[in-house]
Short mmCIF file of all heavy atoms in Angstrom, two decimals:
data_model
loop_
_atom_site.label_atom_id
_atom_site.label_comp_id
_atom_site.label_asym_id
_atom_site.label_seq_id
_atom_site.Cartn_x
_atom_site.Cartn_y
_atom_site.Cartn_z
N MET A 196 -42.70 -13.69 -128.32
CA MET A 196 -41.66 -12.81 -127.83
C MET A 196 -42.16 -11.90 -126.73
O MET A 196 -41.40 -11.11 -126.23
CB MET A 196 -41.12 -11.98 -128.98
CG MET A 196 -40.45 -12.76 -130.04
SD MET A 196 -39.01 -11.84 -130.37
CE MET A 196 -37.95 -13.05 -130.93
N ALA A 197 -43.39 -12.03 -126.39
CA ALA A 197 -43.89 -11.22 -125.29
C ALA A 197 -43.27 -11.71 -123.99
O ALA A 197 -43.07 -12.90 -123.80
CB ALA A 197 -45.42 -11.32 -125.23
N GLY A 198 -42.95 -10.80 -123.10
CA GLY A 198 -42.39 -11.16 -121.82
C GLY A 198 -40.86 -11.15 -121.81
O GLY A 198 -40.26 -11.36 -120.78
N THR A 199 -40.22 -10.97 -122.95
CA THR A 199 -38.76 -10.90 -122.97
C THR A 199 -38.34 -9.46 -122.73
O THR A 199 -38.99 -8.53 -123.17
CB THR A 199 -38.19 -11.40 -124.31
OG1 THR A 199 -38.68 -10.56 -125.35
CG2 THR A 199 -38.56 -12.84 -124.56
N THR A 200 -37.25 -9.30 -122.05
CA THR A 200 -36.73 -7.96 -121.77
C THR A 200 -35.32 -7.84 -122.29
O THR A 200 -34.60 -8.83 -122.38
CB THR A 200 -36.74 -7.66 -120.25
OG1 THR A 200 -35.92 -8.62 -119.61
CG2 THR A 200 -38.15 -7.69 -119.69
N ASP A 201 -34.94 -6.65 -122.61
CA ASP A 201 -33.57 -6.37 -123.07
C ASP A 201 -32.71 -6.13 -121.82
O ASP A 201 -32.93 -5.19 -121.09
CB ASP A 201 -33.57 -5.14 -123.97
CG ASP A 201 -32.19 -4.88 -124.57
OD1 ASP A 201 -31.31 -5.75 -124.41
OD2 ASP A 201 -32.01 -3.83 -125.19
N SER A 202 -31.74 -7.01 -121.58
CA SER A 202 -30.94 -6.91 -120.36
C SER A 202 -30.04 -5.68 -120.37
O SER A 202 -29.55 -5.27 -119.34
CB SER A 202 -30.10 -8.17 -120.16
OG SER A 202 -29.19 -8.31 -121.25
N GLY A 203 -29.80 -5.07 -121.50
CA GLY A 203 -28.96 -3.89 -121.57
C GLY A 203 -29.62 -2.66 -120.95
O GLY A 203 -28.96 -1.73 -120.53
N ASP A 204 -30.95 -2.65 -120.88
CA ASP A 204 -31.67 -1.51 -120.33
C ASP A 204 -31.85 -1.61 -118.82
O ASP A 204 -32.14 -0.62 -118.16
CB ASP A 204 -33.05 -1.39 -120.98
CG ASP A 204 -32.94 -1.01 -122.45
OD1 ASP A 204 -31.89 -0.45 -122.84
OD2 ASP A 204 -33.88 -1.30 -123.21
N ALA A 205 -31.69 -2.80 -118.25
CA ALA A 205 -31.90 -2.99 -116.82
C ALA A 205 -30.73 -2.40 -116.04
O ALA A 205 -29.57 -2.56 -116.41
CB ALA A 205 -32.04 -4.47 -116.50
N GLU A 206 -31.05 -1.70 -114.95
CA GLU A 206 -30.00 -1.11 -114.11
C GLU A 206 -29.47 -2.18 -113.16
O GLU A 206 -30.24 -2.86 -112.51
CB GLU A 206 -30.57 0.06 -113.31
CG GLU A 206 -29.52 0.81 -112.54
CD GLU A 206 -30.10 2.03 -111.84
OE1 GLU A 206 -30.96 2.69 -112.43
OE2 GLU A 206 -29.68 2.29 -110.71
N GLN A 207 -28.14 -2.32 -113.10
CA GLN A 207 -27.51 -3.31 -112.24
C GLN A 207 -27.53 -2.81 -110.80
O GLN A 207 -27.23 -1.65 -110.55
CB GLN A 207 -26.07 -3.56 -112.68
CG GLN A 207 -25.95 -4.11 -114.09
CD GLN A 207 -26.52 -5.51 -114.21
OE1 GLN A 207 -26.49 -6.29 -113.26
NE2 GLN A 207 -27.09 -5.83 -115.36
N PRO A 208 -27.86 -3.69 -109.85
CA PRO A 208 -27.84 -3.27 -108.43
C PRO A 208 -26.40 -3.04 -107.97
O PRO A 208 -25.48 -3.71 -108.41
CB PRO A 208 -28.46 -4.46 -107.69
CG PRO A 208 -28.27 -5.62 -108.60
CD PRO A 208 -28.28 -5.07 -110.01
N LYS A 209 -26.22 -2.05 -107.10
CA LYS A 209 -24.90 -1.75 -106.58
C LYS A 209 -24.51 -2.79 -105.54
O LYS A 209 -25.33 -3.22 -104.74
CB LYS A 209 -24.87 -0.36 -105.93
CG LYS A 209 -24.95 0.76 -106.93
CD LYS A 209 -24.75 2.09 -106.23
CE LYS A 209 -24.73 3.22 -107.24
NZ LYS A 209 -24.43 4.49 -106.61
N LYS A 210 -23.23 -3.17 -105.56
CA LYS A 210 -22.73 -4.11 -104.57
C LYS A 210 -22.48 -3.36 -103.27
O LYS A 210 -22.00 -2.24 -103.27
CB LYS A 210 -21.43 -4.74 -105.03
CG LYS A 210 -21.58 -5.68 -106.19
CD LYS A 210 -20.24 -6.30 -106.54
CE LYS A 210 -20.36 -7.24 -107.69
NZ LYS A 210 -19.07 -7.84 -108.05
N LYS A 211 -22.83 -3.99 -102.17
CA LYS A 211 -22.56 -3.40 -100.86
C LYS A 211 -21.21 -3.90 -100.37
O LYS A 211 -20.83 -5.02 -100.62
CB LYS A 211 -23.65 -3.78 -99.87
CG LYS A 211 -24.99 -3.17 -100.19
CD LYS A 211 -26.00 -3.50 -99.14
CE LYS A 211 -27.32 -2.86 -99.48
NZ LYS A 211 -28.34 -3.14 -98.46
N GLY A 212 -20.50 -3.05 -99.68
CA GLY A 212 -19.21 -3.43 -99.13
C GLY A 212 -18.16 -2.39 -99.41
O GLY A 212 -18.41 -1.36 -100.03
N LEU A 213 -16.97 -2.67 -98.96
CA LEU A 213 -15.85 -1.76 -99.07
C LEU A 213 -15.12 -1.99 -100.38
O LEU A 213 -14.76 -3.12 -100.71
CB LEU A 213 -14.90 -1.95 -97.88
CG LEU A 213 -13.66 -1.09 -97.84
CD1 LEU A 213 -14.04 0.39 -97.73
CD2 LEU A 213 -12.80 -1.48 -96.66
N ASP A 214 -14.87 -0.94 -101.13
CA ASP A 214 -14.13 -1.03 -102.38
C ASP A 214 -12.64 -0.87 -102.06
O ASP A 214 -12.16 0.24 -101.83
CB ASP A 214 -14.59 0.05 -103.35
CG ASP A 214 -13.87 -0.01 -104.68
OD1 ASP A 214 -13.20 -1.03 -104.95
OD2 ASP A 214 -13.99 0.95 -105.45
N LEU A 215 -11.89 -1.97 -102.02
CA LEU A 215 -10.48 -1.94 -101.66
C LEU A 215 -9.59 -1.40 -102.77
O LEU A 215 -8.43 -1.09 -102.52
CB LEU A 215 -10.02 -3.34 -101.26
CG LEU A 215 -10.67 -3.90 -100.00
CD1 LEU A 215 -10.18 -5.30 -99.73
CD2 LEU A 215 -10.37 -3.01 -98.81
N SER A 216 -10.10 -1.26 -103.97
CA SER A 216 -9.27 -0.80 -105.07
C SER A 216 -8.75 0.63 -104.84
O SER A 216 -7.70 0.99 -105.37
CB SER A 216 -10.04 -0.86 -106.39
OG SER A 216 -11.11 0.05 -106.38
N ILE A 217 -9.44 1.41 -104.02
CA ILE A 217 -8.96 2.77 -103.75
C ILE A 217 -7.67 2.76 -102.95
O ILE A 217 -6.89 3.70 -102.99
CB ILE A 217 -10.03 3.63 -103.04
CG1 ILE A 217 -10.40 3.02 -101.69
CG2 ILE A 217 -11.24 3.84 -103.91
CD1 ILE A 217 -11.30 3.90 -100.84
N PHE A 218 -7.41 1.67 -102.21
CA PHE A 218 -6.18 1.57 -101.42
C PHE A 218 -5.02 1.00 -102.22
O PHE A 218 -3.88 1.05 -101.78
CB PHE A 218 -6.41 0.71 -100.18
CG PHE A 218 -7.46 1.27 -99.26
CD1 PHE A 218 -8.67 0.64 -99.12
CD2 PHE A 218 -7.23 2.45 -98.56
CE1 PHE A 218 -9.65 1.16 -98.27
CE2 PHE A 218 -8.19 2.96 -97.71
CZ PHE A 218 -9.40 2.32 -97.57
N LEU A 219 -5.29 0.41 -103.37
CA LEU A 219 -4.26 -0.24 -104.16
C LEU A 219 -3.74 0.63 -105.30
O LEU A 219 -2.81 0.25 -105.99
CB LEU A 219 -4.81 -1.55 -104.74
CG LEU A 219 -5.33 -2.54 -103.69
CD1 LEU A 219 -5.97 -3.75 -104.38
CD2 LEU A 219 -4.22 -2.99 -102.78
N LYS A 220 -4.33 1.78 -105.50
CA LYS A 220 -3.93 2.65 -106.59
C LYS A 220 -2.79 3.57 -106.17
O LYS A 220 -2.67 3.92 -105.01
CB LYS A 220 -5.11 3.52 -107.03
CG LYS A 220 -6.24 2.74 -107.64
CD LYS A 220 -7.36 3.67 -108.04
CE LYS A 220 -8.53 2.88 -108.58
NZ LYS A 220 -9.65 3.75 -108.90
N HIS A 221 -1.98 3.95 -107.14
CA HIS A 221 -0.92 4.90 -106.85
C HIS A 221 -1.53 6.29 -106.71
O HIS A 221 -2.59 6.58 -107.24
CB HIS A 221 0.16 4.88 -107.94
CG HIS A 221 -0.36 5.17 -109.30
ND1 HIS A 221 -0.89 4.19 -110.12
CD2 HIS A 221 -0.43 6.32 -110.01
CE1 HIS A 221 -1.26 4.73 -111.26
NE2 HIS A 221 -1.00 6.02 -111.22
N VAL A 222 -0.87 7.15 -105.95
CA VAL A 222 -1.40 8.49 -105.70
C VAL A 222 -0.75 9.54 -106.59
O VAL A 222 -1.26 10.65 -106.70
CB VAL A 222 -1.24 8.90 -104.22
CG1 VAL A 222 -2.10 8.02 -103.34
CG2 VAL A 222 0.20 8.84 -103.77
N ALA A 223 0.38 9.18 -107.22
CA ALA A 223 1.05 10.12 -108.11
C ALA A 223 1.95 9.37 -109.09
O ALA A 223 2.38 8.25 -108.81
CB ALA A 223 1.88 11.11 -107.30
N GLU A 224 2.19 10.00 -110.23
CA GLU A 224 3.13 9.49 -111.23
C GLU A 224 4.19 10.56 -111.45
O GLU A 224 3.87 11.74 -111.56
CB GLU A 224 2.43 9.24 -112.56
CG GLU A 224 1.40 8.15 -112.53
CD GLU A 224 0.72 7.99 -113.88
OE1 GLU A 224 1.23 8.52 -114.90
OE2 GLU A 224 -0.33 7.35 -113.91
N VAL A 225 5.45 10.12 -111.49
CA VAL A 225 6.55 11.06 -111.71
C VAL A 225 7.34 10.57 -112.92
O VAL A 225 7.79 9.42 -112.95
CB VAL A 225 7.47 11.13 -110.47
CG1 VAL A 225 8.63 12.07 -110.73
CG2 VAL A 225 6.69 11.53 -109.24
N ASP A 226 7.47 11.42 -113.92
CA ASP A 226 8.29 11.09 -115.08
C ASP A 226 9.75 11.30 -114.74
O ASP A 226 10.14 12.36 -114.25
CB ASP A 226 7.90 11.96 -116.29
CG ASP A 226 6.55 11.56 -116.85
OD1 ASP A 226 6.26 10.36 -116.91
OD2 ASP A 226 5.79 12.47 -117.24
N THR A 227 10.57 10.27 -114.96
CA THR A 227 12.00 10.36 -114.70
C THR A 227 12.75 10.01 -115.98
O THR A 227 12.14 9.62 -116.99
CB THR A 227 12.43 9.40 -113.58
OG1 THR A 227 12.25 8.05 -114.03
CG2 THR A 227 11.64 9.63 -112.31
N ALA A 228 14.06 10.13 -115.94
CA ALA A 228 14.88 9.81 -117.11
C ALA A 228 14.81 8.33 -117.47
O ALA A 228 15.02 7.97 -118.63
CB ALA A 228 16.32 10.21 -116.83
N ILE A 229 14.51 7.48 -116.51
CA ILE A 229 14.47 6.04 -116.79
C ILE A 229 13.04 5.51 -116.91
O ILE A 229 12.84 4.31 -117.06
CB ILE A 229 15.24 5.25 -115.71
CG1 ILE A 229 14.63 5.48 -114.34
CG2 ILE A 229 16.70 5.59 -115.74
CD1 ILE A 229 15.19 4.56 -113.27
N GLY A 230 12.05 6.37 -116.85
CA GLY A 230 10.66 5.94 -116.98
C GLY A 230 9.79 6.54 -115.89
O GLY A 230 10.22 7.43 -115.15
N LYS A 231 8.55 6.04 -115.81
CA LYS A 231 7.62 6.56 -114.80
C LYS A 231 7.87 5.92 -113.46
O LYS A 231 8.15 4.73 -113.35
CB LYS A 231 6.18 6.29 -115.21
CG LYS A 231 5.68 7.23 -116.26
CD LYS A 231 4.19 7.14 -116.39
CE LYS A 231 3.79 8.11 -117.48
NZ LYS A 231 2.43 8.50 -117.41
N LEU A 232 7.73 6.73 -112.42
CA LEU A 232 7.83 6.27 -111.04
C LEU A 232 6.44 6.45 -110.44
O LEU A 232 5.88 7.54 -110.47
CB LEU A 232 8.86 7.10 -110.29
CG LEU A 232 9.10 6.78 -108.83
CD1 LEU A 232 9.69 5.39 -108.69
CD2 LEU A 232 10.02 7.79 -108.21
N TYR A 233 5.87 5.37 -109.93
CA TYR A 233 4.53 5.41 -109.34
C TYR A 233 4.66 5.48 -107.83
O TYR A 233 5.33 4.65 -107.21
CB TYR A 233 3.73 4.17 -109.74
CG TYR A 233 3.50 4.10 -111.23
CD1 TYR A 233 4.34 3.37 -112.06
CD2 TYR A 233 2.46 4.80 -111.82
CE1 TYR A 233 4.13 3.31 -113.43
CE2 TYR A 233 2.24 4.77 -113.18
CZ TYR A 233 3.09 4.01 -113.98
OH TYR A 233 2.88 3.96 -115.33
N LEU A 234 4.03 6.46 -107.22
CA LEU A 234 4.12 6.67 -105.77
C LEU A 234 2.84 6.17 -105.10
O LEU A 234 1.74 6.49 -105.53
CB LEU A 234 4.34 8.14 -105.46
CG LEU A 234 5.57 8.77 -106.11
CD1 LEU A 234 5.63 10.25 -105.78
CD2 LEU A 234 6.83 8.07 -105.65
N PHE A 235 3.02 5.40 -104.04
CA PHE A 235 1.91 4.85 -103.27
C PHE A 235 1.92 5.45 -101.87
O PHE A 235 2.96 5.86 -101.38
CB PHE A 235 2.04 3.32 -103.19
CG PHE A 235 1.83 2.65 -104.51
CD1 PHE A 235 2.88 2.53 -105.41
CD2 PHE A 235 0.60 2.15 -104.86
CE1 PHE A 235 2.69 1.91 -106.64
CE2 PHE A 235 0.40 1.53 -106.08
CZ PHE A 235 1.45 1.41 -106.97
N PRO A 236 0.78 5.48 -101.19
CA PRO A 236 0.76 6.01 -99.82
C PRO A 236 1.57 5.14 -98.88
O PRO A 236 1.69 3.93 -99.08
CB PRO A 236 -0.73 6.00 -99.45
CG PRO A 236 -1.44 5.24 -100.49
CD PRO A 236 -0.52 5.06 -101.66
N LEU A 237 2.15 5.77 -97.86
CA LEU A 237 2.93 5.02 -96.87
C LEU A 237 2.00 4.19 -95.99
O LEU A 237 0.89 4.61 -95.67
CB LEU A 237 3.71 5.98 -95.97
CG LEU A 237 4.95 6.60 -96.57
CD1 LEU A 237 5.55 7.60 -95.59
CD2 LEU A 237 5.97 5.55 -96.94
N ARG A 238 2.49 3.03 -95.62
CA ARG A 238 1.76 2.16 -94.69
C ARG A 238 2.44 2.23 -93.34
O ARG A 238 3.59 2.66 -93.23
CB ARG A 238 1.77 0.72 -95.21
CG ARG A 238 1.12 0.59 -96.58
CD ARG A 238 1.38 -0.77 -97.14
NE ARG A 238 2.82 -0.89 -97.37
CZ ARG A 238 3.38 -1.88 -98.04
NH1 ARG A 238 2.65 -2.84 -98.52
NH2 ARG A 238 4.69 -1.91 -98.21
N ASP A 239 1.75 1.81 -92.32
CA ASP A 239 2.31 1.79 -90.97
C ASP A 239 3.58 0.94 -90.92
O ASP A 239 4.57 1.31 -90.29
CB ASP A 239 1.27 1.25 -89.98
CG ASP A 239 1.77 1.30 -88.56
OD1 ASP A 239 2.27 2.37 -88.15
OD2 ASP A 239 1.67 0.27 -87.87
N SER A 240 3.57 -0.19 -91.62
CA SER A 240 4.75 -1.07 -91.62
C SER A 240 5.94 -0.38 -92.30
O SER A 240 7.09 -0.61 -91.91
CB SER A 240 4.44 -2.38 -92.32
OG SER A 240 4.04 -2.16 -93.66
N ASP A 241 5.70 0.46 -93.29
CA ASP A 241 6.78 1.20 -93.95
C ASP A 241 7.47 2.14 -92.97
O ASP A 241 8.70 2.22 -92.92
CB ASP A 241 6.24 2.02 -95.12
CG ASP A 241 5.64 1.17 -96.22
OD1 ASP A 241 6.09 0.02 -96.40
OD2 ASP A 241 4.74 1.66 -96.91
N ILE A 242 6.69 2.82 -92.17
CA ILE A 242 7.23 3.78 -91.21
C ILE A 242 8.03 3.05 -90.13
O ILE A 242 9.11 3.49 -89.74
CB ILE A 242 6.11 4.64 -90.61
CG1 ILE A 242 5.49 5.49 -91.71
CG2 ILE A 242 6.62 5.51 -89.47
CD1 ILE A 242 4.22 6.19 -91.34
N ARG A 243 7.53 1.89 -89.65
CA ARG A 243 8.26 1.12 -88.65
C ARG A 243 9.60 0.64 -89.17
O ARG A 243 10.62 0.72 -88.47
CB ARG A 243 7.42 -0.07 -88.18
CG ARG A 243 6.40 0.33 -87.12
CD ARG A 243 5.67 -0.86 -86.58
NE ARG A 243 4.54 -1.06 -87.50
CZ ARG A 243 4.09 -2.23 -87.91
NH1 ARG A 243 4.64 -3.33 -87.51
NH2 ARG A 243 3.08 -2.31 -88.74
N VAL A 244 9.64 0.16 -90.42
CA VAL A 244 10.90 -0.31 -91.00
C VAL A 244 11.87 0.86 -91.15
O VAL A 244 13.06 0.75 -90.84
CB VAL A 244 10.65 -0.99 -92.37
CG1 VAL A 244 11.95 -1.21 -93.13
CG2 VAL A 244 9.92 -2.29 -92.19
N PHE A 245 11.38 2.01 -91.60
CA PHE A 245 12.24 3.18 -91.80
C PHE A 245 12.84 3.66 -90.48
O PHE A 245 14.02 4.01 -90.41
CB PHE A 245 11.45 4.30 -92.47
CG PHE A 245 12.31 5.42 -92.97
CD1 PHE A 245 13.11 5.25 -94.09
CD2 PHE A 245 12.33 6.63 -92.32
CE1 PHE A 245 13.91 6.28 -94.56
CE2 PHE A 245 13.13 7.66 -92.77
CZ PHE A 245 13.91 7.49 -93.90
N LYS A 246 12.05 3.66 -89.41
CA LYS A 246 12.55 4.09 -88.10
C LYS A 246 13.59 3.14 -87.54
O LYS A 246 14.47 3.54 -86.78
CB LYS A 246 11.39 4.23 -87.11
CG LYS A 246 10.54 5.45 -87.32
CD LYS A 246 9.47 5.53 -86.27
CE LYS A 246 8.64 6.77 -86.41
NZ LYS A 246 7.58 6.85 -85.38
N ALA A 247 13.50 1.85 -87.92
CA ALA A 247 14.42 0.85 -87.39
C ALA A 247 15.78 0.86 -88.08
O ALA A 247 16.73 0.26 -87.60
CB ALA A 247 13.80 -0.54 -87.52
N LEU A 248 15.92 1.58 -89.19
CA LEU A 248 17.19 1.62 -89.91
C LEU A 248 18.22 2.40 -89.10
O LEU A 248 17.91 3.39 -88.45
CB LEU A 248 17.01 2.26 -91.28
CG LEU A 248 16.11 1.49 -92.25
CD1 LEU A 248 15.89 2.29 -93.51
CD2 LEU A 248 16.70 0.13 -92.57
N THR A 249 19.48 1.94 -89.17
CA THR A 249 20.53 2.56 -88.37
C THR A 249 21.49 3.42 -89.19
O THR A 249 22.37 4.05 -88.63
CB THR A 249 21.34 1.48 -87.66
OG1 THR A 249 21.89 0.59 -88.63
CG2 THR A 249 20.46 0.70 -86.68
N ALA A 250 21.35 3.44 -90.51
CA ALA A 250 22.27 4.23 -91.34
C ALA A 250 22.15 5.70 -90.98
O ALA A 250 21.07 6.22 -90.73
CB ALA A 250 21.95 4.02 -92.81
N SER A 251 23.30 6.41 -90.98
CA SER A 251 23.29 7.81 -90.56
C SER A 251 23.02 8.75 -91.73
O SER A 251 22.39 9.78 -91.56
CB SER A 251 24.61 8.17 -89.90
OG SER A 251 25.68 7.93 -90.80
N GLY A 252 23.46 8.43 -92.92
CA GLY A 252 23.24 9.29 -94.07
C GLY A 252 21.85 9.10 -94.66
O GLY A 252 21.32 7.98 -94.69
N ALA A 253 21.24 10.17 -95.12
CA ALA A 253 19.87 10.11 -95.63
C ALA A 253 19.77 9.21 -96.87
O ALA A 253 18.83 8.42 -96.99
CB ALA A 253 19.37 11.51 -95.96
N ILE A 254 20.72 9.31 -97.77
CA ILE A 254 20.67 8.51 -99.00
C ILE A 254 20.86 7.03 -98.67
O ILE A 254 20.12 6.17 -99.16
CB ILE A 254 21.71 9.00 -100.02
CG1 ILE A 254 21.34 10.40 -100.49
CG2 ILE A 254 21.82 8.04 -101.19
CD1 ILE A 254 22.38 11.06 -101.37
N LYS A 255 21.81 6.72 -97.82
CA LYS A 255 22.05 5.33 -97.41
C LYS A 255 20.84 4.77 -96.68
O LYS A 255 20.42 3.63 -96.91
CB LYS A 255 23.29 5.27 -96.50
CG LYS A 255 23.54 3.93 -95.88
CD LYS A 255 24.13 2.95 -96.86
CE LYS A 255 24.57 1.68 -96.12
NZ LYS A 255 24.01 0.49 -96.67
N ARG A 256 20.24 5.58 -95.83
CA ARG A 256 19.06 5.14 -95.08
C ARG A 256 17.89 4.83 -96.02
O ARG A 256 17.20 3.83 -95.87
CB ARG A 256 18.66 6.22 -94.08
CG ARG A 256 17.64 5.80 -93.09
CD ARG A 256 17.43 6.87 -92.04
NE ARG A 256 16.46 6.42 -91.07
CZ ARG A 256 15.98 7.17 -90.12
NH1 ARG A 256 16.39 8.40 -89.97
NH2 ARG A 256 15.09 6.70 -89.28
N PHE A 257 17.67 5.68 -97.01
CA PHE A 257 16.58 5.48 -97.96
C PHE A 257 16.84 4.24 -98.83
O PHE A 257 15.92 3.46 -99.08
CB PHE A 257 16.39 6.72 -98.85
CG PHE A 257 15.18 6.64 -99.71
CD1 PHE A 257 13.92 6.71 -99.17
CD2 PHE A 257 15.31 6.45 -101.08
CE1 PHE A 257 12.79 6.62 -99.97
CE2 PHE A 257 14.19 6.36 -101.89
CZ PHE A 257 12.93 6.44 -101.33
N ARG A 258 18.07 4.04 -99.27
CA ARG A 258 18.39 2.84 -100.05
C ARG A 258 18.17 1.58 -99.24
O ARG A 258 17.64 0.59 -99.75
CB ARG A 258 19.83 2.91 -100.55
CG ARG A 258 20.00 3.88 -101.69
CD ARG A 258 21.42 3.88 -102.19
NE ARG A 258 21.54 4.80 -103.32
CZ ARG A 258 22.64 5.39 -103.69
NH1 ARG A 258 23.77 5.16 -103.01
NH2 ARG A 258 22.66 6.19 -104.71
N ASP A 259 18.57 1.59 -97.99
CA ASP A 259 18.33 0.43 -97.11
C ASP A 259 16.85 0.18 -96.94
O ASP A 259 16.39 -0.96 -96.91
CB ASP A 259 18.98 0.64 -95.74
CG ASP A 259 20.51 0.59 -95.81
OD1 ASP A 259 21.05 0.13 -96.84
OD2 ASP A 259 21.14 0.99 -94.81
N PHE A 260 16.06 1.25 -96.82
CA PHE A 260 14.61 1.12 -96.68
C PHE A 260 14.00 0.43 -97.90
O PHE A 260 13.15 -0.45 -97.78
CB PHE A 260 13.98 2.49 -96.47
CG PHE A 260 12.48 2.47 -96.56
CD1 PHE A 260 11.72 1.92 -95.55
CD2 PHE A 260 11.83 3.00 -97.65
CE1 PHE A 260 10.33 1.89 -95.62
CE2 PHE A 260 10.45 2.98 -97.74
CZ PHE A 260 9.71 2.42 -96.73
N LEU A 261 14.44 0.82 -99.09
CA LEU A 261 13.90 0.22 -100.31
C LEU A 261 14.22 -1.27 -100.37
O LEU A 261 13.42 -2.05 -100.90
CB LEU A 261 14.46 0.93 -101.54
CG LEU A 261 13.98 2.36 -101.75
CD1 LEU A 261 14.66 2.97 -102.96
CD2 LEU A 261 12.47 2.42 -101.90
N LEU A 262 15.34 -1.66 -99.83
CA LEU A 262 15.69 -3.09 -99.84
C LEU A 262 14.94 -3.89 -98.78
O LEU A 262 14.67 -5.07 -98.97
CB LEU A 262 17.20 -3.25 -99.61
CG LEU A 262 18.09 -2.71 -100.72
CD1 LEU A 262 19.55 -2.77 -100.30
CD2 LEU A 262 17.87 -3.49 -102.01
N LEU A 263 14.58 -3.26 -97.66
CA LEU A 263 13.98 -3.99 -96.53
C LEU A 263 12.47 -3.86 -96.44
O LEU A 263 11.83 -4.64 -95.74
CB LEU A 263 14.59 -3.50 -95.22
CG LEU A 263 16.08 -3.75 -95.05
CD1 LEU A 263 16.56 -3.11 -93.75
CD2 LEU A 263 16.38 -5.23 -95.06
N ALA A 264 11.87 -2.88 -97.09
CA ALA A 264 10.42 -2.65 -96.95
C ALA A 264 9.62 -3.83 -97.47
O ALA A 264 9.96 -4.39 -98.51
CB ALA A 264 10.04 -1.37 -97.68
N PRO A 265 8.55 -4.21 -96.76
CA PRO A 265 7.70 -5.29 -97.25
C PRO A 265 7.00 -4.87 -98.53
O PRO A 265 6.62 -3.72 -98.71
CB PRO A 265 6.69 -5.50 -96.11
CG PRO A 265 6.76 -4.28 -95.28
CD PRO A 265 8.10 -3.65 -95.51
N THR A 266 6.82 -5.83 -99.44
CA THR A 266 6.22 -5.54 -100.74
C THR A 266 4.72 -5.71 -100.75
O THR A 266 4.07 -5.35 -101.70
CB THR A 266 6.83 -6.43 -101.83
OG1 THR A 266 6.57 -7.79 -101.49
CG2 THR A 266 8.32 -6.18 -101.97
N GLY A 267 4.16 -6.31 -99.73
CA GLY A 267 2.72 -6.50 -99.67
C GLY A 267 2.26 -7.78 -100.32
O GLY A 267 1.09 -8.11 -100.33
N SER A 268 3.16 -8.56 -100.90
CA SER A 268 2.75 -9.82 -101.51
C SER A 268 3.06 -11.01 -100.65
O SER A 268 3.64 -10.95 -99.63
CB SER A 268 3.41 -10.00 -102.87
OG SER A 268 4.77 -9.72 -102.83
#
């Protein structure tokens, strides 16, 4: 048994590179009457779609945005 090591004690090397999981997480949770609402940061494409909407009322414009915004998939 000489020469065997316990792998639980060995320190794992850190991976180099960009951790994309920080961009995929929600930034806030809001409790509502129908459940939790998870808020994500705005993307450039979200802002372009919102600016292109022609509805004059704020509520109508926001509803149209939710229907037209890209989902990222």
Side-chain angles (χ1 to χ4, degrees):
M196 296 224 153
T199 61
T200 60
D201 185 9
S202 62
D204 293 337
E206 187 176 321
Q207 298 293 329
K209 289 187 176 184
K210 291 182 180 179
K211 292 184 179 181
L213 179 63
D214 182 13
L215 295 177
S216 66
I217 61 172
F218 299 111
L219 303 175
K220 295 180 183 177
H221 58 274
V222 294
E224 295 178 15
V225 178
D226 288 321
T227 66
I229 60 171
K231 283 193 180 201
L232 180 65
Y233 297 95
L234 303 177
F235 292 84
L237 284 176
R238 300 169 295 191
D239 184 49
S240 60
D241 297 330
I242 295 169
R243 278 185 273 141
V244 168
F245 192 73
K246 285 183 178 180
L248 296 174
T249 58
S251 58
I254 294 173
K255 173 76 171 126
R256 190 173 182 187
F257 188 70
R258 285 182 178 155
D259 290 346
F260 169 73
L261 292 177
L262 294 173
L263 297 175
T266 61
S268 46

